Amino acid sequence: MFSKETYINRRAKLKKLVGNGVILLFGNNGAPANFPHNTYYPFRQDSSFLYYFGQQRDGLVGVIDVDNDIETLVGDDISIDDIVWYGSVDSVHDMAEQVGVKNSVPMKTLKTLCNDAMRLHRKIHFLPPYRADIKIQIFDLLGIHPNQQKESASMDLIKAVVKMRSTKTQEEIDELERAAIIGYKMHTTAMKMCRPGVVEKEIAGALDGIANSMGSMVSFPTILSQHGEIQHGAPSMSKLQAGKLMLCDAGAETMDHYCSDNTRTTPVSGHFDQRQLEIYSIVEAAHDYALSVAKPGVKWWDVHFGVCRLITDRLKEIGLMKGDTEEAVAAGAHAMFMVHGLGHMMGMDVHDMESFDQINVGFDDEVRPNLEQFGTNCLRMGRRLQEGFVVTDEPGIYFIPALIDDWKASGHCKEFINFDKLETYKDFGGIRLEDDLLITKDGCRFIGKDRIPYHPKDVEEFIAQYR
């Protein structure tokens, strides 16, 4: 938790941005794993509730009466039965005091607060809910059916929260740096363990253990697979095979739930063969291109398509693509190989504020998403960069057999893709490189003082130390 003043100042700014009405910020409840009292561990609080109210206990709601400048923490104190099993915790009154909130009331009072606001026809602001229990709670409080709650969520509140959470303060950057330390440990451990015969889940389990032991939890389920062409490839019981590539996309959260998110692709044999090195070098160049051009005022949309043109040019050099580069990118031919966007906002959520919809987070009135074109429709971020933004830089090249077959059968982008040569890459897998960028006053920098090896020579030399 940050200082009391941090939360007081955040709520004061939120009140100014929203302007009027009553703001409801719902904290999360425990989520049952397979029966009510066996919940997923560790408990994960809602990020926006954490941002403004700081407390990590379940069963809390923050209420901000903007018009009357009254802030209230709503929640029930735990019972003696809970204390027996889980130990004592601070009272709701004490938790409110810790973050500078003067008022605290039991949960049953929330219905009265909402009824009073509705009777006076006051605007009630809430964020789009993403958990079923909170949707039911909103239905009970406000009478809005769960199917209508996303559309009924307050756009004024969404815009205010996005404005505040997008730009990271120094104390938040410090937390992100701590997350990067954990991420470095996770990824270098994966590289050390990567060798023929090791089971994918064994490595992924070790990484998850590092995240749990050094912080709160993983920032998303660990992706680790020899099938790097599968975007969210879960680790399996398969053994690593010589000649394959292991793609590892993993990150951690600090105790205050700030994230890291990195991807590395490691040769199982300990060295890249020529074909792997050709593709890897293209991804490496795209990764470093983004680092060289990202700065305040630059549209991330332009950085993304600069990467797409670079990838297209380089794939033309090795005979996998052909034709005019600009025409190929305009047609979306590059998405045969890079099916996703260059990166996304990151902070307390690894896809920061994704529950608000990326159109409200990564785009604005100036830069709108293209939801029609394959590949481009997965670009989560396009708006102009600002100092204090944190975005991921994650280009990749993938060879997806089903996609190759689909496009070849339909003739899609046949004027830009050499399908005959592409057939010989169906067993390749995929390569992605990812790091977290902080946009600075004049440019950008990687988060994390220790760089997880990613240049081919550095990767091979690092692996060699542990063979």
Side-chain angles (χ1 to χ4, degrees):
M1 188 186 297
F2 297 129
S3 69
K4 178 190 295 189
E5 288 68 32
T6 291
Y7 300 105
I8 291 172
N9 292 335
R10 286 174 176 177
R11 293 192 301 271
K13 184 174 181 179
L14 182 65
K15 283 182 277 192
K16 289 181 180 179
L17 289 171
V18 173
N20 60 71
V22 177
I23 299 169
L24 303 181
L25 291 171
F26 292 86
N28 282 336
N29 300 307
N34 57 347
F35 55 85
H37 290 114
N38 187 30
T39 57
Y40 284 100
Y41 178 83
F43 168 71
R44 180 54 160 90
Q45 185 62 281
D46 176 77
S47 295
S48 291
F49 179 88
L50 268 179
Y51 188 83
Y52 293 103
F53 285 89
Q55 296 290 355
Q56 304 213 34
R57 210 206 81 179
D58 61 337
L60 300 173
V61 180
V63 179
I64 303 174
D65 184 332
V66 179
D67 304 307
N68 297 303
D69 195 21
I70 299 173
E71 299 172 350
T72 305
L73 184 63
V74 181
D76 295 328
D77 290 331
I78 67 171
S79 67
I80 188 64
D81 290 335
D82 288 330
I83 291 173
V84 168
W85 289 102
Y86 302 110
S88 297
V89 298
D90 292 333
S91 68
V92 176
H93 170 80
D94 289 342
M95 287 191 289
E97 192 173 70
Q98 289 162 10
V99 294
V101 174
K102 294 181 179 179
N103 304 289
S104 61
V105 297
M107 187 59 70
K108 65 181 181 181
T109 308
L110 184 58
K111 180 66 173 175
T112 301
L113 294 175
C114 291
N115 285 344
D116 289 345
M118 289 189 289
R119 188 181 67 254
L120 296 172
H121 303 289
R122 299 177 66 195
K123 174 68 175 176
I124 298 179
H125 306 270
F126 62 89
L127 296 170
Y130 53 89
R131 288 192 173 188
D133 56 331
I134 301 301
K135 292 180 180 182
I136 293 171
Q137 188 175 12
I138 292 173
F139 182 49
D140 289 342
L141 292 169
L142 306 179
I144 303 172
H145 191 277
N147 290 343
Q148 299 172 326
Q149 289 173 11
K150 182 178 178 180
E151 292 72 22
S152 300
S154 169
M155 189 54 64
D156 289 337
L157 181 57
I158 290 171
K159 289 182 176 179
V161 175
V162 169
K163 181 179 179 64
M164 292 183 65
R165 285 183 55 188
S166 293
T167 303
K168 307 302 186 286
T169 62
Q170 186 57 54
E171 59 190 352
E172 291 181 286
I173 293 168
D174 291 343
E175 277 298 307
L176 290 165
E177 294 284 357
R178 280 188 272 274
I181 292 171
I182 307 172
Y184 176 86
K185 178 70 171 176
M186 292 169 72
H187 279 275
T188 52
T189 296
M191 295 171 72
K192 293 173 185 178
M193 295 178 69
C194 180
R195 67 186 66 205
V198 179
V199 175
E200 291 175 359
K201 281 184 71 68
E202 180 182 346
I203 302 175
L207 307 193
D208 293 356
I210 291 169
N212 291 335
S213 65
M214 295 181 67
S216 171
M217 57 191 291
V218 292
S219 51
F220 56 96
T222 296
I223 298 165
L224 191 144
S225 177
Q226 295 170 98
H227 286 282
E229 76 277 10
I230 302 173
Q231 299 306 292
H232 289 167
S236 72
M237 293 302 295
S238 298
K239 293 181 179 179
L240 299 183
Q241 299 177 25
K244 293 284 190 177
L245 296 168
M246 182 190 76
L247 188 149
C248 176
D249 188 342
E253 293 189 9
T254 66
M255 296 306 293
D256 283 321
H257 297 289
Y258 284 83
C259 299
S260 69
D261 183 7
N262 301 95
T263 307
R264 291 295 185 266
T265 306
T266 305
V268 177
S269 299
H271 58 83
F272 297 99
D273 64 32
Q274 185 56 40
R275 189 174 69 155
Q276 291 170 345
L277 186 60
E278 284 179 342
I279 301 301
Y280 190 99
S281 297
I282 299 173
V283 180
E284 174 195 18
H287 171 278
D288 290 353
Y289 167 82
L291 182 68
S292 71
V293 299
K295 62 181 180 180
V298 170
K299 289 189 288 188
W300 193 248
W301 179 280
D302 292 338
V303 182
H304 167 80
F305 280 104
V307 161
C308 295
R309 286 188 289 270
L310 185 155
I311 288 174
T312 300
D313 283 337
R314 295 285 295 272
L315 289 175
K316 284 165 58 178
E317 292 175 6
I318 60 176
L320 285 169
M321 294 190 73
K322 59 186 177 180
D324 181 79
T325 295
E326 293 295 334
E327 292 178 4
V329 171
H334 63 279
M336 164 59 73
F337 306 95
M338 183 166 138
V339 297
H340 56 73
L342 178 60
H344 51 80
M345 292 277 223
M346 195 188 77
M348 296 182 80
D349 306 313
V350 71
H351 291 170
D352 217 17
M353 300 171 280
E354 188 170 43
S355 60
F356 305 165
D357 276 351
Q358 288 300 313
I359 194 171
N360 296 318
V361 179
F363 295 88
D364 54 21
D365 292 338
E366 178 191 15
V367 185
R368 306 304 293 164
N370 179 345
L371 302 178
E372 304 300 323
Q373 187 182 68
F374 177 78
T376 307
N377 60 353
C378 292
L379 178 59
R380 292 186 171 96
M381 170 73 178
R383 60 190 286 200
R384 291 187 188 275
L385 300 171
Q386 298 178 29
E387 183 179 359
F389 278 15
V390 174
V391 295
T392 61
D393 168 18
E394 51 178 310
I397 294 177
Y398 314 93
F399 297 90
I400 307 170
L403 186 62
I404 294 169
D405 291 344
D406 183 69
W407 283 28
K408 185 177 181 179
S410 68
H412 183 60
C413 289
K414 62 182 180 180
E415 62 272 40
F416 304 115
I417 297 172
N418 286 319
F419 284 103
D420 289 344
K421 184 166 185 177
L422 190 53
E423 283 285 334
T424 67
Y425 280 76
K426 282 186 172 180
D427 64 342
F428 186 95
I431 293 173
R432 179 163 66 251
L433 295 173
E434 177 183 15
D435 283 297
D436 307 324
L437 301 184
L438 171 67
I439 306 304
T440 60
K441 181 179 180 180
D442 301 314
C444 67
R445 68 167 177 85
F446 289 136
I447 293 178
K449 68 179 183 65
D450 294 320
R451 185 65 37 233
I452 306 163
Y454 75 93
H455 296 301
K457 182 179 178 182
D458 295 339
V459 171
E460 293 177 343
E461 289 180 351
F462 182 86
I463 297 171
Q465 299 176 64
Y466 302 97
R467 294 292 174 100

